[in-house]
Amino acid sequence: MKCVVIGAGPVGALAALYAARRGWDVEVYELRGDLRDASTVPLNFTKSINLALSERGINAMRKSDSPKLVDAVLSETIPMHGRMIHSQDKKGNVTEESQLYDVHGRFIRAVDRANLNKVLLDELEGLPNVKLFFHHKLTGVDFKVKKAWLERKTNGSPQTADGAQANQNQQPPARPQEIEINFELILGCDGAHSSVRYHMMKYLRMDYAQTYIDTLWCEFTIPPAKDASQPSPSAAEGFATSPNHLHIWPSDDKMFIAIPSTDKTFTCTLFAPAATFAELESSEDSLQTIFNENFPGVVPGLISPSALHSQFTTNPHLPLISIKCSPHIYSPGGGVILGDAAHAMLPFYGQGMNAGLEDVRVLFSHLDANAADPQAALESYTAERVPDAHTINDLASANYWEMHSGVRSPLYLARKTVEEFLSDKLPSSGFRTQYARVSFSNQRYSEVREAVQKQSTILLRGIVGTALLPFVSSAAWWIWRWNRATGTGRVAVKGGFGLGTWLTGLGERIGRIFT
């Protein structure tokens, strides 16, 4: 099997590793330069939102048949045991409240995307049946004849026909050299604006939905404690605030978050409506004002005013995209899209990368189970994965409310407490929080939603039943007293369905308790 992987990010690198471990000939093509090189600029010109690695992503790497891979990745991560909610009390004092992710002590991990990519690519590069090609741009795919075409560059410069870099004194060609390759299976792991998906849509009837929400994001950095003017109360180990939490400054329509990095900095993200960004761009003075009003303690304590303005001006203000499509395959043409190419989602559940890595595990489980019939394997894969991808996409969108408002909602916190109590004290009840199911298990996303909906129904019935119990008991008591005092038999209560009989029986039982 010759397998071509387009995209050398974490999902593409893991997909290539899975294919290589099965003895296939693997070629990986990446538009950018070597992602292990610090000088390689990400496509969105920023470090990107720090990634949260949870059980699904770890399990996918665990199943790659690379014994040292997981340990190498985890050694470069920081445990995050919960959310740290930053706020302000009535006296204006900055407050911090820790909300643990899990009653059983489980946690997610902060991981640097570049470090994760480096470990995966290093693992690939040591395999004899893998070839890595950087500065290659996919320009066409013919799924029927199983050929693809790419433009080839070296360090961003055109190449001559023999692969040597063009002489800088010569007039460069109008366009880079185009090469043609064959494949038996092509895996599109090339992100939200996937070229593989674009060409696949020419060959099949793909349902496709792309949505932008009215929220932009911008990246900031909190320096180590020694460079912060006033570290927070939870500062530890050289970090300006707790290194073992995902930090949230919630607000009504905006949010500021911070995720720890191994160099003791925090990669931070401001999420706010487009109108807020427009206001901030038009008035430099409004930036610190909005931070002071909505994100207490950030300025000047953790980020200096000058650094805040500099980073807001320098770093791009980027949109948030959500993509759903179906199917995720072209068969019998041997094409599959994975990760953001198949289901780009909002970052508010921290599942984008984890879902992409899980795509790889699920795909190869189907290919292994149907080795004699790859077409059937791809069909069964997309039948399973599409509903799961749509589900986590929806959950990620809904979790924006939880992060910027729900974390302060008494109703949300009460439900979380009840579900965690049942999970801890009555595990046989099967109750678990939605977050625990998503982040600490490998249960299918679609099954998670079904289970949580059932839990919601049970809890709602319990709440209603508890609220009505005093009134029902009181009515039953008075019916029993009436029957006993008059001796006329059971009182007739209208309403059908034996309501009078049931109330009278309940009253008799209550009466026996007190007599």
Side-chain angles (χ1 to χ4, degrees):
M1 175 78 78
K2 180 180 179 181
C3 178
V4 168
V5 180
I6 306 298
V11 175
L14 185 66
L17 187 56
Y18 266 70
R21 292 299 186 192
R22 283 152 179 78
W24 301 357
D25 291 325
V26 181
E27 295 177 358
V28 182
Y29 294 89
E30 168 59 44
L31 174 63
R32 297 162 289 181
D34 192 330
L35 303 179
R36 293 166 291 185
D37 187 341
S39 65
T40 299
V41 180
L43 293 181
N44 57 13
F45 304 102
T46 185
K47 289 171 60 180
S48 87
I49 302 171
N50 255 23
L51 302 177
L53 180 62
S54 58
E55 167 58 22
R56 294 175 193 273
I58 296 171
N59 187 50
M61 291 187 284
R62 190 183 297 127
K63 297 295 179 64
S64 67
D65 294 331
S66 301
K68 298 181 180 179
L69 176 61
V70 173
D71 288 341
V73 170
L74 297 187
S75 67
E76 296 290 331
T77 65
I78 299 177
M80 295 188 293
H81 295 274
R83 298 165 174 159
M84 184 70 80
I85 310 304
H86 295 258
S87 188
Q88 203 170 30
D89 62 22
K90 294 181 179 179
K91 296 181 179 180
N93 299 315
V94 174
T95 63
E96 295 180 336
E97 177 193 355
S98 175
Q99 295 180 2
L100 296 182
Y101 282 129
D102 183 62
V103 69
H104 303 290
R106 292 172 293 188
F107 52 86
I108 61 176
R109 295 173 180 268
V111 61
D112 181 273
R113 181 189 177 96
N115 287 342
L116 174 62
N117 228 146
K118 179 182 183 300
V119 172
L120 287 167
L121 290 174
D122 286 347
E123 188 80 16
L124 271 179
E125 199 165 49
L127 301 177
N129 55 330
V130 176
K131 296 178 181 178
L132 300 175
F133 299 91
F134 299 100
H135 295 294
H136 281 68
K137 178 181 179 181
L138 183 72
T139 57
V141 184
D142 189 327
F143 289 94
K144 292 184 178 179
V145 298
K146 296 190 175 182
K147 292 182 181 292
W149 294 267
L150 301 100
E151 291 180 345
R152 181 172 61 184
K153 299 180 181 181
T154 297
N155 296 329
S157 302
Q159 285 186 327
T160 60
D162 62 358
Q165 188 168 330
N167 189 317
Q168 297 299 315
N169 297 323
Q170 296 176 351
Q171 185 69 25
R175 59 179 295 171
Q177 179 190 5
E178 188 171 73
I179 62 171
E180 179 183 285
I181 60 173
N182 300 314
F183 63 85
E184 291 177 77
L185 179 66
I186 186 169
L187 305 180
C189 308
D190 48 343
H193 303 289
S194 168
S195 294
V196 176
R197 184 188 66 230
Y198 170 77
H199 292 292
M200 188 183 292
M201 291 172 73
K202 300 175 184 177
Y203 287 82
L204 56 80
R205 294 174 295 173
M206 177 183 287
D207 292 330
Y208 176 80
Q210 172 180 299
T211 305
Y212 287 96
I213 65 171
D214 185 32
T215 298
L216 302 179
W217 67 277
C218 179
E219 184 180 282
F220 295 84
T221 301
I222 293 175
K226 62 183 177 60
D227 299 318
S229 65
Q230 187 176 350
S232 81
S234 61
E237 303 171 18
F239 290 85
T241 187
S242 169
N244 299 120
H245 288 82
L246 186 154
H247 296 263
I248 302 177
W249 284 260
S251 184
D252 291 338
D253 62 348
K254 55 187 72 73
M255 176 173 65
F256 191 73
I257 70 170
I259 299 178
S261 300
T262 53
D263 61 359
K264 300 188 185 302
T265 65
F266 286 81
T267 299
C268 311
T269 311
L270 167 65
F271 298 98
T276 301
F277 270 87
E279 177 186 348
L280 295 175
E281 290 166 353
S282 64
S283 172
E284 292 186 4
D285 294 336
S286 62
L287 180 62
Q288 188 170 343
T289 300
I290 284 182
F291 264 75
N292 289 337
E293 290 176 351
N294 295 276
F295 315 126
V298 174
V299 184
L302 301 178
I303 304 177
S304 69
S306 60
L308 186 77
H309 285 279
S310 174
Q311 293 174 34
F312 181 79
T313 303
T314 304
N315 294 338
H317 307 158
L318 300 169
L320 291 168
I321 191 172
S322 174
I323 290 175
K324 293 181 182 179
C325 64
S326 176
H328 293 174
I329 62 144
Y330 178 76
S331 183
V336 186
I337 49 176
L338 303 96
D340 283 355
H343 47 67
M345 66 190 70
L346 303 181
F348 305 119
Y349 227 125
Q351 285 295 301
M353 177 192 65
N354 291 286
L357 298 178
E358 187 178 60
D359 287 345
V360 176
R361 178 185 65 80
V362 175
L363 171 63
F364 279 87
S365 70
H366 284 270
L367 289 169
D368 291 343
N370 296 276
D373 191 351
Q375 181 175 344
L378 296 187
E379 294 288 352
S380 61
Y381 166 73
T382 196
E384 173 180 338
R385 202 59 185 158
V386 166
D388 289 340
H390 286 7
T391 297
I392 188 56
N393 206 302
D394 293 338
L395 294 179
S397 298
N399 211 49
Y400 185 35
W401 173 87
E402 179 177 318
M403 288 186 71
H404 77 79
S405 292
V407 291
R408 300 178 297 177
S409 165
L411 182 61
Y412 162 78
L413 296 174
R415 173 175 172 170
K416 181 175 184 288
T417 300
V418 170
E419 289 178 331
E420 289 185 335
F421 174 83
L422 293 172
S423 174
D424 185 32
K425 305 302 181 183
L426 294 171
S428 59
S429 68
F431 266 72
R432 284 182 290 169
T433 64
Q434 178 175 285
Y435 191 91
R437 292 179 185 274
V438 169
S439 298
F440 305 129
S441 82
N442 295 290
Q443 185 179 20
R444 289 183 58 185
Y445 291 121
S446 55
E447 293 178 356
V448 168
R449 179 164 57 184
E450 292 174 3
V452 171
Q453 287 174 344
K454 289 180 181 178
Q455 287 181 189
S456 298
T457 301
I458 294 171
L459 288 176
L460 180 60
R461 289 175 178 173
I463 292 170
V464 172
T466 301
L468 293 179
L469 182 60
F471 301 101
V472 172
S473 299
S474 178
W477 167 263
W478 285 108
I479 290 172
W480 174 78
R481 288 288 303 272
W482 172 266
N483 288 336
R484 189 176 185 189
T486 61
T488 57
R490 294 192 173 188
V491 66
V493 179
K494 294 182 180 180
F497 302 105
L499 178 59
T501 303
W502 180 81
L503 284 171
T504 303
L506 177 61
E508 291 175 350
R509 287 192 289 274
I510 295 174
R512 284 196 294 270
I513 292 175
F514 291 101
T515 56

